[in-house]
Amino acid sequence: MTIINPQYIYIDNHFQENLAVAFSDKIEAIDSLENLKEKYPNATIENGEKNSVLYPGFINTHVHLEFSANKTTLQYGEFMPWLDSVIANREELVGKCDNAMMMNECKAMMRSGITTFGAISSFGTELEVCMETPQKVLFFNELIGSNAATADMLYGDFLERLDASKKCGHGVIPAIAIHSPYSVHPIVLKRAVEVAKSEKLPISAHFLESQAEREWLEDSKGDFLEFFQKFFSTSIAVTTIDEFMQSFDDVPTHFTHAVQATKEELTYLAKHGHSIAHCPRSNRLLGCGRLPIEELIELNMPFTIATDGLSSNNSLNIFDELRAALMMHHLGPLENLANLLIKNITSTPAEIFNLNSGEIKVGKDADFALITLPDEAQSTQSIALQTILHTKEVERVYINGEAI
Ligand code: BEZ
Ligand code: FE2
């Protein structure tokens, strides 16, 4: 048994003082240090420093580890030139990205307090690393293929990867990712959604990331027309926005981006129990716009903050992402936003994916991120904001009670 005694503990979206936490691999008790010492006389005591804050381990719901080799290769600023640069450099980037490189990025995530992440896997090449890292991983096997002639073959490949992820254990949770409405044929999409539903697997899908995607799905026009003519000899989108959304009616899905979704579409998604992964830096770098989070808040729709991969970002540090979100979303009171952002990398993703973490509460997994503020916070309401502003790396991370 270990007892950790920081200055503040983030419990129920508030910062509490004069409490400590006793834990093994699970959280056993939350009480005053004196009471816990009496209850567990043989426990190891870890005193946090002055101004230390204990958070539940952070959850990054959307990352592409396979693209970790990108630093300066891909073209940023607009979506279509970026996608063209991905197609042109994909083989080289994925080829350069070995296990050591991906493990380094897992460690970088861990140094920012991420104890669970959602790996969107196009090829399955990061599976070994995901088994090796102490972090918990939602392993989203991605389905792609809009062309009817090759869709079956690609679906078979997807099922094989899904099977491999089901067999590995080691904190790897098998899951399904749909690449996007424009790149997945509706027939195989329906089959994959059926698998998620019948096997109760987490499911996620990129959705309405760019204006180009919207134009293509609405009218088979815009920047995607040339792209599809060039690479797939077709001039017609395989689905519509409504048809795509309706495919997920029975299965709560984590939709990534949704920057270009209308209020009506967001309302439809909220009504069907879906959630959003919001990747502010990726959206900015690919010229996709700003997700109107105030509409999600109004709809009471759960959303998470996620880094996306290094194919559209300059780090996988969750604090870098939170700082970007804080600066991008200028509407509404600042401290409220900071508190919401912390919730959106802890209890909100845990609830979306039914994880036994994301909260400091008896019975939850002992996954923690311990940080120390550089000076005294002037009020408990400002701690989330000051944490986001001042934390580059955490002091310590615990996963299932083990200090990493
Ligand atoms: C496809 O496989 O259909 C596809 C892949 C990437 C971008 C667009 C379409
Ligand atoms: Fe993504």
Side-chain angles (χ1 to χ4, degrees), residues 6-12 14-19 380 383:
Q7 181 163 355
Y8 299 100
I9 306 182
Y10 179 72
I11 296 178
D12 270 343
H14 293 98
F15 295 88
Q16 304 209 20
E17 285 187 273
N18 305 314
L19 284 177
T380 51
I383 293 175

Side-chain angles (χ1 to χ4, degrees), residues 79 142-146 177-186 189 204-209 213 217 224 228 238-239 244 248:
F79 187 78
E142 190 168 68
L143 175 63
I144 198 164
S146 60
I178 304 301
H179 180 265
S180 73
Y182 58 82
S183 61
V184 178
H185 196 279
L189 166 63
S204 144
H206 292 116
F207 182 58
L208 290 178
E209 178 173 10
E213 176 178 339
L217 296 172
F224 263 114
F228 272 96
V238 287
T239 193
F244 186 76
F248 298 89

